[in-house]
Amino acid sequence: MNVRRLIPTTAVAGAVVLGLTALSACSTSDAADGSDGGKLKVTASFYPMQFLAEKIGGEHVAVTSLTKPGVEPHDLELTPRQIGSISESDYVLYLKGIQPVVDDAILQSGVKNTVDAATLTTLEDHGSEVSGHDGHEGEEEHGHEEEAHQEEAHEEHSEGDGHNHGEEGGADPHIWLDPVKYAEVAKGVGKSLEKADPDHAADYKKNTDALVAELGELNTAYETGLKNTSTKTFITTHSAFGYLAERYGLTQQGIAGIDPEAEPSPARIQEIHTIAEKEKATTVFFETLASDRTAKTLAKDTGLKTDVLDPLEGITKKSQGADYIEVMESNLVALQKALGAK
């Protein structure tokens, strides 16, 4: 993650003005070019929000995502045209804390129907070492080192790297990786779309119910598939799976905290090695939108395997599935293999 690529708030404010000027000077924009056929113009901040908008909105919405496929959401830079197009939207769906530049642009857009998915469920505080059950011995044994590690992570957060874990009580925004919380968000999105476009309320409700049912089946698959495993501990370069770990009684061990491409310290490598031996962890997971260098370095030093656990921040040709449901199913298979599901 390249922090320097992020746009500061002052730059966003200036770009808003430029974006609005650009829109007034021309008759088309990326979000509203007359091709929506009278549909509700929806702007989504990144893939998990886009998926909800498309599934629930169905044929009644024209969805534009601010984050293109293959772009790491936290590294997103908004063009003046994109910022201007937000103000042209009928409805904006985003997740506060993931993309500060988007948060700022939406705040200044003046759009009436803006929905922050973070307000539709309960956010929790997950450190870089996350336990899904109480009394994890590894946390007690390495508590002092981890406190220093989390303090360092907090400092990185406060510098504006795109993850808002270090603010507002350390709230973890990765709610979409828990099918139950994602379903709660889906219900809220459905109700807000009904309010924004009452003429099609019945269809939005029908689509919401269908998606919630599908997410319920996904949750059941995870509960069943991860109920009996040889170990409950998995290691990942990106500490994005706190909600998933908590939901299914697992323990996430983040290598270097918030930055999926950060090099782990020698002390952390030794710590992970100790935890892996004690908890019988087998695999270091990396993600599709970031380098696998850190995972391979750690795996080589500790004798562990590597595999992909996708945080679903975007869908690309490398993704193990065409949409949220399919990739989450692939994640389940990867976890079952790594954890020794019986």
Side-chain angles (χ1 to χ4, degrees):
M1 184 185 306
N2 188 343
V3 177
R4 288 174 297 179
R5 288 168 56 193
L6 297 175
I7 302 177
T9 303
T10 52
V12 172
V16 169
V17 176
L18 288 174
L20 294 175
T21 302
L23 281 174
S24 64
C26 49
S27 59
T28 63
S29 73
D30 293 338
D33 58 5
S35 63
D36 52 63
K39 297 180 180 181
L40 196 73
K41 303 172 188 174
V42 176
T43 295
S45 56
F46 72 131
Y47 179 71
M49 301 299 102
Q50 176 189 347
F51 179 77
L52 290 179
E54 291 176 343
K55 291 287 284 187
I56 297 172
E59 64 182 7
H60 303 302
V61 300
V63 182
T64 299
S65 177
L66 294 173
T67 308
K68 303 304 179 185
V71 174
E72 220 287 338
H74 313 294
D75 291 348
L76 178 67
E77 295 181 3
L78 293 177
T79 65
R81 181 174 291 277
Q82 280 182 305
I83 294 172
S85 72
I86 294 173
S87 66
E88 290 280 296
S89 305
D90 298 313
Y91 179 99
V92 178
L93 180 60
Y94 72 114
L95 179 55
K96 187 177 181 180
I98 284 284
Q99 300 166 292
V101 291
V102 173
D103 298 348
D104 291 334
I106 291 172
L107 185 63
Q108 299 177 58
S109 70
V111 176
K112 178 184 177 182
N113 295 306
T114 60
V115 177
D116 172 12
T119 66
L120 302 177
T121 187
T122 304
L123 269 64
E124 298 169 15
D125 181 5
H126 296 134
S128 58
E129 181 174 304
V130 179
S131 176
H133 50 279
D134 294 331
H136 178 58
E137 296 174 9
E139 285 185 0
E140 296 171 2
E141 186 175 353
H142 303 284
H144 294 300
E145 288 184 40
E146 192 56 32
E147 281 180 19
H149 178 60
Q150 290 183 356
E151 183 176 344
E152 178 184 345
H154 176 87
E155 290 175 1
E156 290 183 50
H157 284 311
S158 63
E159 290 175 5
D161 65 356
H163 278 74
N164 194 27
H165 309 279
E167 300 174 14
E168 297 180 7
D172 178 355
H174 297 89
I175 49 179
W176 66 91
L177 292 168
D178 174 356
V180 176
K181 283 193 174 293
Y182 200 44
E184 291 175 359
V185 174
K187 292 176 183 177
V189 170
K191 289 178 181 178
S192 65
L193 279 172
E194 290 176 37
K195 185 177 180 180
D197 183 19
D199 289 346
H200 301 112
D203 285 345
Y204 294 141
K205 187 178 188 309
K206 179 182 177 182
N207 293 344
T208 299
D209 291 344
L211 177 56
V212 168
E214 199 170 5
L215 292 172
E217 292 175 1
L218 182 64
N219 174 51
T220 299
Y222 266 78
E223 284 183 334
T224 304
L226 299 173
K227 188 174 183 179
N228 297 307
T229 57
S230 299
T231 179
K232 296 295 183 183
T233 300
F234 64 98
I235 301 166
T236 177
T237 55
H238 186 185
S239 298
F241 299 91
Y243 291 107
L244 185 149
E246 186 172 28
R247 177 67 59 191
Y248 304 111
L250 307 177
T251 298
Q252 172 187 242
Q253 288 287 347
I255 296 174
I258 55 176
D259 189 340
E261 296 187 36
E263 292 289 349
S265 67
R268 185 58 175 161
I269 289 177
Q270 182 55 49
E271 187 179 16
I272 290 291
H273 182 62
T274 301
I275 291 170
E277 283 188 339
K278 185 171 185 177
E279 304 296 336
K280 297 182 174 60
T282 65
T283 307
V284 180
F285 287 112
F286 61 94
E287 61 185 77
T288 52
L289 294 182
S291 170
D292 61 359
R293 181 181 58 194
T294 300
K296 288 186 174 179
T297 297
L298 182 62
K300 182 179 179 181
D301 291 339
T302 58
L304 299 173
K305 302 173 184 177
T306 60
D307 202 355
V308 172
L309 194 63
D310 196 330
L312 267 159
E313 294 178 345
I315 295 289
T316 69
K317 292 180 180 179
K318 294 182 180 180
S319 299
Q320 301 297 308
D323 64 12
Y324 172 87
I325 299 293
E326 290 186 4
V327 175
M328 282 293 284
E329 290 172 343
S330 296
N331 280 347
L332 174 56
V333 172
L335 281 168
Q336 287 177 305
K337 181 180 179 181
L339 299 174
K342 301 171 184 177

